[in-house]
Amino acid sequence: MRHDPLPPPDFAVAACRLTIDVGACVANWRAIAARSKGATGAAVKADAYGLGAEIIAPALARAGCRDFFVATIEEGASLRRLVPDARIFSVSGLWAGQEALAISRRIIPVAASPEQLELIAGLGGALEHAVFIDTGMNRLGLTAEQAAAYAQSGGKPVMVMSHLACADEPDHALNARQNESFQPLAALFAEAESSLSSSAGILLGPDYHYDLTRPGIALYGGMTLGGFAPRPVATAEARVIQIRHAKAGETVSYGARERLSRDSRIAIIGAGYADGWHRAASGAGVPLRNAGAAGGAISLAGHTAPILGRITMDLTMVDVTDIPEHLVRDGDYAEFFGPNLPIEDVARAAGTISYELLTSLGKRYVRRIV
Ligand SMILES: *Cc1c(COP(=O)(O)O)cnc(C)c1O
C-alpha cells in the first residue's frame, strides 16, 4: 500500500510545540562576547543542547563566532557543512578508526590521554589537535605530569584546555585553585592558545578568560548568574486536552498520592515525561525527589498552575482552580518553560538543571524558529 507523503507539521495546531528564538541566542552570544577578554566560541554539542545545531551554529557563525565545541567526532563531522570555515573541536577526543573522518572534516580532537596523543602523533601532522588537562575536576584530561611530559617531547597542540568544576559557585575555593594550576600548564605550550571557561566561568571575571571562552548554556538562555540574565531562547508548550472537576478528598494520577484538599478544576495537558516534563517535577508521589520540594508548575493564561500528582508519559495534570474559569479552555497552550516560566525555576522544581531539561525534550515537538 502506498501512502501520500506527510504534510509539513503545522505549528499552529501541534499537540506539543517548541519555539526557538535564534535572535535571542545570537544576542546572548554577543552579550557574552562583549564580556570576554579574548575570543568567544560556542558549545553546540548534543545538537546545540537539544535546540538544533542546524539553525543555531550558522547563526552564531554569522555573528562572528569562529570556534565551535562538540563532544564527538561524529557530531563535528555533521557540523562541518553548517560552518565550513570555523574551527570545530571535539572535546571527547578521537578513537582509532575515526582518523580519516576527522581529517576530511577538519575536526580538531581534544586529546585527554597519552594514548590519544600517540594516535594523533601517528598521523604525522595531518590533523591539528588540542589537549585537555585536568586541574581538579577529575573528569577528562591529562594529569599535570603527562602534560609536562608531552610539552617536553615537543608536542604542539593548537589549544590547551581545562574545565572548572564549581564555576557556578563563584565563592568556591576550587575556582581559584584550578585557575592557578592552569596558568603554568598553559604556559608549557608557548605557541598554543588557552581556554578555561564555559558560561559560568566567564562570569567569574577576566582572570578566567584566557584566549578563548566556551559558553554553552548561557547562549541557550539557561543560566542567570553574576548579574547576567540571558534572554530566553526556548519555549516548550502543550495543549489543554480536557478540563475536569474533582471533589475535595479525591485523588489525582497514578498511585493516588495527590489528595485534593478542596473542590478543584484540573486541566489535563497533553505532554509528559516523554516530552521532557521530568517526572521528578510531579506534584506528589515521586519518592526520589527531595521531600521538601513542592513540585513544578506550568504557565497558563498568564497564571501559574501547580502540577497535581505524578506526571505521566504523555499527560500532566495541573490545578487551575485559582485561574478565572473563562481564561482556561480546551485547546489552550500551556507553557512548560519559556518567557513566562524561567527554565531554571522549572529545572529546580524537578531537582535538575536547565541543561538536562533542554537535552531531554524528546521527539514530539513541532518546532518553530523565530
Ligand atoms: C559543555 C561544555 C562547555 C559549555 O558549558 P556550559 O556550562 O554549557 O557553558 C564548555 N567546555 C566544555 C569542555 C564542555 O564540555
Side-chain angles (χ1 to χ4, degrees):
M1 195 166 81
R2 275 188 68 247
H3 293 279
D4 293 334
L6 285 177
D10 187 350
F11 183 86
V13 296
C16 301
R17 64 188 196 182
L18 190 67
T19 303
I20 296 160
D21 185 344
V22 180
C25 179
V26 169
N28 291 337
W29 185 83
R30 289 191 203 277
I32 290 166
R35 283 174 177 246
S36 290
K37 198 175 65 181
T40 304
V44 295
K45 61 199 182 191
D47 198 25
Y49 291 37
L51 298 183
E54 179 103 23
I55 302 294
I56 284 171
L60 293 177
R62 280 194 297 277
C65 181
R66 307 282 307 120
D67 296 287
F68 291 87
F69 295 88
V70 294
T72 65
I73 298 290
E74 290 86 350
E75 282 186 325
S78 59
L79 186 65
R80 175 47 80 203
R81 77 187 160 79
L82 302 172
V83 290
D85 304 320
R87 287 196 294 188
I88 299 176
F89 295 86
S90 153
V91 298
S92 299
L94 174 75
W95 293 103
Q98 297 180 318
E99 301 92 328
L101 185 63
I103 291 167
S104 71
R105 300 299 194 279
R106 289 171 287 125
I107 313 304
I108 304 174
V110 185
S113 69
E115 291 74 17
Q116 291 191 342
L117 290 169
E118 215 165 289
L119 181 65
I120 290 160
L123 303 174
L127 195 59
E128 288 188 328
H129 71 285
V131 291
F132 217 120
I133 307 175
D134 191 277
T135 51
M137 185 169 178
N138 274 315
R139 196 170 67 166
L140 198 57
L142 301 170
T143 64
E145 294 70 28
Q146 289 167 337
Y150 187 56
Q152 200 88 61
S153 75
K156 293 240 178 301
V158 295
M159 181 80 64
V160 182
M161 287 170 45
S162 189
H163 196 69
L164 297 168
C166 306
D168 59 343
E169 298 174 54
D171 296 330
H172 202 292
L174 190 52
N175 292 322
R177 278 214 305 279
Q178 286 195 263
N179 197 16
E180 279 161 30
S181 307
F182 185 59
Q183 285 160 21
L185 293 168
L188 286 171
F189 302 92
E191 290 160 42
E193 294 171 63
S194 52
S195 175
L196 177 64
S197 287
S198 53
S199 299
I202 296 163
L203 304 172
L204 293 176
D207 289 352
Y208 288 81
H209 291 182
Y210 295 87
D211 296 315
L212 176 67
T213 54
R214 314 186 299 263
I217 195 69
L219 307 179
Y220 308 114
M223 176 174 281
T224 312
L225 210 65
F228 176 72
R231 283 170 57 184
V233 172
T235 305
E237 299 170 294
R239 301 185 92 160
V240 175
I241 298 181
Q242 188 183 31
I243 296 162
R244 54 188 318 118
H245 297 263
K247 294 262 175 265
E250 291 180 6
T251 61
V252 182
S253 197
Y254 285 125
R257 295 282 293 276
E258 179 92 60
R259 189 170 295 278
L260 298 173
S261 59
R262 59 177 178 176
D263 292 353
S264 302
R265 240 175 333 117
I266 303 173
I268 320 302
I269 316 290
Y273 58 78
D275 307 295
W277 299 37
H278 284 217
R279 187 171 176 275
S282 296
V286 178
L288 289 178
R289 193 184 58 218
N290 180 332
I298 56 96
S299 176
L300 193 54
H303 292 73
T304 300
I307 293 169
L308 289 171
R310 289 181 186 157
I311 293 172
T312 72
M313 186 184 290
D314 318 307
L315 297 166
T316 299
M317 280 61 82
V318 301
D319 184 357
V320 295
T321 315
D322 292 330
I323 305 179
E325 198 153 353
H326 69 280
L327 290 180
V328 184
R329 285 159 308 201
D330 291 3
D332 287 352
Y333 282 95
E335 181 179 311
F336 172 44
F337 59 73
N340 298 302
L341 205 55
I343 186 169
E344 286 175 280
D345 295 350
V346 176
R348 206 169 297 117
T352 183
I353 54 177
S354 55
Y355 302 68
E356 197 178 25
L357 287 192
L358 288 176
T359 55
S360 59
L361 283 171
K363 307 242 183 236
R364 275 199 288 232
Y365 290 95
V366 173
R367 288 165 176 243
R368 177 180 62 163
I369 313 293
V370 297

